[in-house]
Amino acid sequence: MERTLTHFETRTSDHDIEQIFLQRWSPRAFTGEAIPEADLLRIFEAARWAPSSYNSQPWRYLYARRDTPSWPTFLGLLGEFNQGWAKNAAVLIIAISKATMRPPGRDADIPSHSHSFDAGAAWSNLALQATSIGWHAHGMVGFDIPRTSVELHIPEGYRVEAAIAIGRLGDKSTLPEMLQAREAPSGRDPITAFAFEGAFPA
Ligand SMILES: Cc1cc2nc3c(=O)[nH]c(=O)nc-3n(C[C@H](O)[C@H](O)[C@H](O)COP(=O)(O)O)c2cc1C
């Protein structure tokens, strides 16, 4: 029987890796299905176990599930383009990092060199876990960061990193035509474009 390839089956890696890395992708067609709290907790649990400098765990998440009082506020922070598709997500998340940390044995916080790096590691865990339990996470920078800080009362010393939409994969025919064309597998540069033995290449 003829079968349409799913998105990840069209991706291939140059070297043998876990399939979850190819299965994770960033769709825009979501069904609008609500996410059970248990699934959301499993997704945050994966973020929880990310590595971080001095185990400082600088990631913070503010979130709104659809059809809750916070949802319109979170959706309204996104740019018009992102609102167009993220309105069908199950949950919208603002990922934040704490810019200072308390190293062991110190009695005061010091600036953290790696707070964004650490929060990025946690986002990756979160996205892979979402995929592994049948959801999809889509990162966004297209949102109003200054307004996010104000409307969500984010204190000084925290960096707003990104927004994330998580939803159940929908049919791409539900998207506007322009987005349907972009709902396609993305490839990657080869390893030789980003990993170099020794000093930075001239
Ligand atoms: C931090 C971050 C910000 C992003 N911002 C947006 C965005 O504002 N709007 C959007 O549609 N996609 C956004 N993306 C999705 C990327 O375009 C996507 O991850 C990239 O093209 C690779 O595709 P893949 O995630 O399907 O592998 C963002 C992704 C990340 C990680």
Side-chain angles (χ1 to χ4, degrees):
M1 194 177 83
E2 202 172 312
R3 189 171 76 91
T4 310
L5 289 177
T6 58
H7 188 288
F8 75 85
E9 287 172 309
T10 66
R11 284 176 152 178
T12 53
S13 59
D14 290 345
H15 301 273
D16 190 23
I17 55 172
E18 295 299 321
Q19 286 302 295
I20 193 76
F21 295 113
L22 301 176
Q23 291 166 358
R24 184 220 58 79
W25 67 293
S26 305
R28 296 191 179 89
F30 288 133
T31 59
E33 183 182 329
I35 189 167
E37 197 186 7
D39 283 5
L40 189 56
L41 290 174
R42 291 175 76 188
I43 289 167
F44 284 135
E45 181 73 21
R48 182 181 170 217
W49 290 100
S52 60
S53 176
Y54 286 104
N55 200 16
S56 54
Q57 304 164 61
W59 44 82
R60 302 287 185 274
Y61 301 105
L62 304 172
Y63 67 93
R65 279 172 293 154
R66 64 179 307 106
D67 302 327
T68 66
S70 303
W71 176 262
T73 305
F74 279 60
L75 189 62
L77 295 170
L78 304 184
E80 201 182 327
F81 171 80
N82 284 331
Q83 281 194 34
W85 56 268
K87 64 177 194 275
N88 293 321
V91 59
L92 294 173
I93 302 173
I94 301 293
I96 300 161
S97 68
K98 186 174 191 289
T100 57
M101 65 174 185
R102 183 80 51 98
R106 301 273 199 101
D107 55 9
D109 284 357
I110 60 165
S112 166
H113 173 73
S114 60
H115 57 99
S116 289
F117 186 82
D118 298 338
W123 138 253
S124 182
N125 278 14
L126 176 158
L128 292 166
Q129 177 66 28
T131 298
S132 78
I133 59 172
W135 297 90
H136 284 82
H138 192 141
M140 290 170 278
V141 287
F143 67 108
D144 190 328
I145 290 173
R147 199 153 59 76
T148 298
S149 293
V150 173
E151 292 192 19
L152 302 185
H153 311 303
I154 297 169
E156 283 288 305
Y158 289 81
R159 182 173 194 272
V160 175
E161 299 285 356
I164 303 165
I166 297 179
R168 192 77 89 186
L169 183 62
D171 196 291
K172 76 173 180 184
S173 64
T174 60
L175 290 171
E177 225 161 80
M178 182 265 289
L179 288 184
Q180 285 185 31
R182 291 170 61 173
E183 195 81 340
S186 62
R188 290 299 187 268
D189 295 336
I191 295 173
T192 50
F194 65 84
F196 312 104
E197 190 161 12
F200 205 92

